[in-house]
Amino acid sequence: KAGVTQTPRYLIKTRGQQVTLSCSPISGHRSVSWYQQTPGQGLQFLFEYFSETQRNKGNFPGRFSGRQFSNSRSEMNVSTLELGDSALYLCASSIPAGNTEAFFGQGTRLTVV
Amino acid sequence: AQSVTQLGSHVSVSEGALVLLRCNYSSSVPPYLFWYVQYPNQGLQLLLKYTSAATLVKGINGFEAEFKKSETSFHLTKPSAHMSDAAEYFCAVRATSGSARQLTFGSGTQLTVLP
């Protein structure tokens, strides 16, 4: 069974640009969550999608957005990039029931210069 | 709101020695608890999870954790460290009810294994 796939693995962008990251969940997993990991703030929850609807959102500015498609694949977008957006962005998929765990992709390393 | 605290951002042990990584949670009711491991430039891999079925949980790679409600702790242990255990370890908590399914992570513990 294929794991969670995130593309691209690495990105370099310039301040002010926008970026789109992609996540393909494990087959059958309908919940997708996104996390930002930085040395200073650690792992922080961005948002969760289920059945194409955002169910929860973390404490991030509106420049961070996402969506989920009917096949459960998800994208997140960051507009007007800032240097502080440099981070490892992790996607996790799960079966949204009971005590099931989240499975993580390898992440997308975004560097803003 | 739930939170987890990991005591010790860096832990060093000798190969073959006991590994003990500490995690304490803060929650009004016992939550779901998880330990994840992260190798450099990789995502998170689940080691084990506590879901109220048993207080002693066995995971992969010889790791286990014991849930202690009285101490609000979920410490991770391994009897004998191996060089391949060197990585960063994260404790995480998730609510058992409601629609909020996100994980709240501790700040992580970097484990170094000395030869």
Side-chain angles (χ1 to χ4, degrees):
Chain A
K1 201 174 195 181
V4 178
T5 303
Q6 290 188 247
T7 56
R9 287 293 311 279
Y10 301 92
L11 265 179
I12 300 176
K13 290 287 188 178
T14 304
R15 273 182 302 173
Q17 288 186 313
Q18 75 163 16
V19 66
T20 299
L21 313 181
S22 179
C23 172
S24 293
I26 292 171
S27 177
H29 287 194
R30 296 169 62 196
S31 173
V32 173
S33 298
W34 289 88
Y35 294 83
Q36 181 196 64
Q37 185 177 24
T38 60
Q41 300 298 316
L43 282 153
Q44 295 186 285
F45 170 74
L46 280 158
F47 26 66
E48 180 198 4
Y49 286 86
F50 174 68
S51 293
E52 303 177 62
T53 301
Q54 186 181 92
R55 295 212 306 184
N56 289 296
K57 183 173 168 60
N59 188 26
F60 279 83
R63 300 185 297 105
F64 291 81
S65 63
R67 60 177 175 168
Q68 186 180 35
F69 302 95
S70 58
N71 61 358
S72 295
R73 190 177 71 85
S74 177
E75 289 180 347
M76 67 162 282
N77 185 276
V78 188
S79 63
T80 319
L81 284 166
E82 301 177 0
L83 295 179
D85 297 333
S86 295
L88 181 66
Y89 290 88
L90 293 164
C91 168
S93 77
S94 64
I95 299 171
N99 57 16
T100 55
E101 61 269 34
F103 294 85
F104 284 80
Q106 291 192 307
T108 294
R109 171 75 62 185
L110 172 65
T111 302
V112 182
V113 298
Chain B
Q2 301 159 106
S3 65
V4 287
T5 302
Q6 291 184 241
L7 296 175
S9 58
H10 291 84
V11 170
S12 292
V13 300
S14 298
E15 192 173 19
L18 171 72
V19 175
L20 171 60
L21 305 182
R22 300 178 187 274
C23 173
N24 287 87
Y25 69 90
S26 173
S27 176
S28 56
V29 295
Y32 295 135
L33 291 158
F34 306 83
W35 274 100
Y36 283 88
V37 62
Q38 185 178 37
Y39 297 97
N41 290 318
Q42 298 293 318
L44 303 176
Q45 180 183 11
L46 180 72
L47 283 174
L48 48 80
K49 64 179 181 181
Y50 167 74
T51 58
S52 78
T55 57
L56 183 61
V57 181
K58 294 188 182 300
I60 64 171
N61 301 339
F63 284 94
E64 62 181 37
E66 185 173 9
F67 173 75
K68 291 187 177 180
K69 184 178 178 181
S70 60
E71 299 177 7
T72 60
S73 69
F74 190 56
H75 301 332
L76 182 71
T77 61
K78 182 174 181 178
S80 177
H82 191 273
M83 297 297 289
S84 61
D85 295 327
E88 190 157 22
Y89 293 79
F90 293 92
C91 182
V93 63
R94 194 180 79 212
T96 58
S97 62
S99 62
R101 287 185 48 82
Q102 67 264 31
L103 293 165
T104 299
F105 288 90
S107 55
T109 298
Q110 182 68 48
L111 175 66
T112 300
V113 182
L114 305 170

